[in-house]
Amino acid sequence: MVATSPFQCLTLTLLILPPLLLTTYFMAVFPSPPAPVSIHPSLASLPPTSKSWSIYPEDFYPGGGYATFPNGRVRYWLVGPEKGKRARQRDRDELHVVLIHGLSIPAIVWKDVAPSLAARGYRVLLYDLYGRGYSDAPLMTYDTNLYTNQLALLMQYLKWEKANIVGVSMGGGIAAAFTAQFPHLTDEGVGLLACAGLMESDDISRTAKFMSSPLVQSLASSRPVQTYLRHLTNQTVARNTLDDKPNVILEIVRLQSAHLPGYNNALSSSLRDGPIRGQTSAFQSSAFEGKRVLILHGTKDVTVRPKYASLIDSTVTSKAHKKVIFINGAGHDLSVSHSKEVTDALVNLLSGSNWKTIPS
């Protein structure tokens, strides 16, 4: 038996005691309370002289209002008759429609479709996603749940029991995820226009990947870069106002990027973490069973390529009433460039007339 000297005992104690105390501390320490969410302002914070107010004013649609949620204020509009059309075979239920915009352009993207649906008797809800337009921009990860919860809270706020859900581009990915997560809030129709959600990383440009990196976003959010962007944008807007037909859609993207500190972060985080990719399980959800699903795509779409329409068709359950329509010559902005064709297809979806039946 080897004798242990007092010096050896002291050495062992000094070696063992610090890690033991540190381990005990980290296991027992009580965490600090979470920090409140930092929220960047929306277009509503810009002065009335800003070009954004003439292009996309706060009252762009009638029936506007704000709903305040934990992640910031959300701007919404309700257009169309208050009672709206009645749902088929459910005389007590009104037929509600939600239109969800895409990655970079707020609800102005529905500028022709929404009034046309309203004129045909539908009650339509439009709103700006977090970080766009007149909705606040929380400084957080813009993942799928942020967007689906935003819509669920908004419908609860408006006391809508359910609605037909229509989305364009990234909004289509949100519509699919919302249907899968909240089937009890989703009515009979789901519209997926130029729909993202299943995109592969290779289809996202290297420039977009580079610009959405956290390092580049930190640089882009710095005061000197923001000041330069505002100067550059103001010059561009001034030149374009001399044109007969300025591209208001492009201008509102530039104005948001230059004047809203949370906008670029919302876009870059959505590219990395949002419902643009990885939504296979949502499209495969049994929540689509028995629903009418419109898959509408332009043949000239180079942003979300037409192959994804066919992929969505094969991914959504065969127990859904699916219809795939390609608009010849339409690009990714089909809700603006081909608003009549889009409106007609949506009316067909909502009415259910001449819709494809479930395969036997």
Side-chain angles (χ1 to χ4, degrees):
M1 185 174 182
V2 179
T4 304
S5 68
F7 177 77
Q8 290 176 316
C9 290
L10 179 60
T11 303
L12 287 172
T13 301
L14 292 175
L15 289 173
I16 296 173
L17 190 58
L20 182 62
L21 290 174
L22 284 172
T23 302
T24 303
Y25 170 79
F26 285 116
M27 291 180 65
V29 67
F30 199 68
S32 301
V37 176
S38 297
I39 296 177
H40 290 299
S42 68
L43 286 176
S45 66
L46 301 185
T49 55
S50 170
K51 187 66 178 178
S52 62
W53 285 90
S54 62
I55 294 175
Y56 181 46
E58 195 176 33
D59 59 352
F60 186 81
Y61 300 104
Y66 283 99
T68 301
F69 301 134
N71 291 323
R73 290 201 313 169
V74 172
R75 180 65 176 173
Y76 68 88
W77 299 266
L78 291 170
V79 300
E82 187 171 343
K83 290 298 182 182
K85 286 184 178 290
R86 298 285 180 176
R88 294 185 312 151
Q89 300 176 350
R90 294 203 309 273
D91 292 338
R92 292 177 297 175
D93 295 335
E94 286 110 23
L95 203 157
H96 293 150
V97 186
V98 177
L99 299 180
I100 312 172
H101 67 77
L103 176 69
S104 58
I105 305 167
I108 191 177
V109 77
W110 301 108
K111 64 185 182 68
D112 299 313
V113 173
S116 297
L117 289 176
R120 300 196 193 192
Y122 295 101
R123 186 65 163 168
V124 183
L125 167 63
L126 306 107
Y127 67 104
D128 286 338
L129 295 173
Y130 283 126
R132 287 80 167 179
Y134 291 95
S135 290
D136 287 343
L139 188 59
M140 60 194 308
T141 300
Y142 282 68
D143 58 12
T144 301
N145 289 338
L146 176 70
Y147 293 120
T148 55
N149 289 336
Q150 179 186 11
L151 178 54
L153 287 171
L154 185 55
M155 288 181 62
Q156 181 187 51
Y157 177 84
L158 297 172
K159 297 181 172 57
W160 278 22
E161 293 185 359
K162 58 174 52 184
N164 297 271
I165 310 298
V166 177
V168 62
S169 189
M170 187 185 77
I174 296 172
F178 184 86
T179 301
Q181 293 180 11
F182 300 100
H184 61 290
L185 298 179
T186 307
D187 212 334
E188 296 178 353
V190 180
L192 308 173
L193 283 55
C195 183
L198 298 180
M199 290 183 69
E200 300 169 359
S201 297
D202 290 344
D203 282 328
I204 299 175
S205 69
R206 293 178 182 175
T207 301
K209 292 176 184 175
F210 174 76
M211 292 303 295
S212 67
S213 67
L215 180 61
V216 172
Q217 282 304 306
S218 296
L219 179 63
S221 300
S222 64
R223 187 179 297 274
V225 174
Q226 284 288 303
T227 301
Y228 173 73
L229 285 174
R230 289 169 188 171
H231 174 72
L232 186 64
T233 299
N234 290 339
Q235 283 188 327
T236 304
V237 171
R239 286 197 303 268
N240 286 349
T241 54
L242 301 175
D243 299 338
D244 292 333
K245 294 181 179 179
N247 189 333
V248 295
I249 298 296
L250 180 59
E251 294 300 350
I252 201 64
V253 170
R254 289 172 174 167
L255 286 163
Q256 290 178 107
S257 179
H259 292 277
L260 299 184
Y263 175 75
N264 292 320
N265 173 69
L267 264 61
S268 61
S269 181
S270 297
L271 281 171
R272 297 192 307 270
D273 311 300
I276 290 176
R277 304 173 297 148
Q279 296 302 304
T280 300
S281 60
F283 286 102
Q284 290 176 337
S285 171
S286 60
F288 281 95
E289 293 181 6
K291 297 193 183 301
R292 297 188 299 275
V293 181
L294 170 66
I295 303 168
L296 187 66
H297 223 98
T299 59
K300 299 296 185 181
D301 193 336
V302 296
T303 302
V304 181
R305 298 187 181 278
K307 67 178 182 180
Y308 287 110
S310 301
L311 181 58
I312 291 170
D313 180 30
S314 63
T315 304
V316 173
T317 174
S318 60
K319 295 182 179 180
H321 304 260
K322 295 180 289 184
K323 180 176 287 189
V324 182
I325 300 176
F326 288 98
I327 300 179
N328 189 39
H332 193 60
D333 62 344
L334 74 175
S335 65
V336 176
S337 64
H338 292 71
S339 60
K340 183 183 184 304
E341 292 90 336
V342 169
T343 302
D344 290 343
L346 289 178
V347 169
N348 185 225
L349 168 73
L350 298 171
S351 66
S353 60
N354 301 319
W355 202 260
K356 184 187 296 184
T357 59
I358 299 176
S360 58

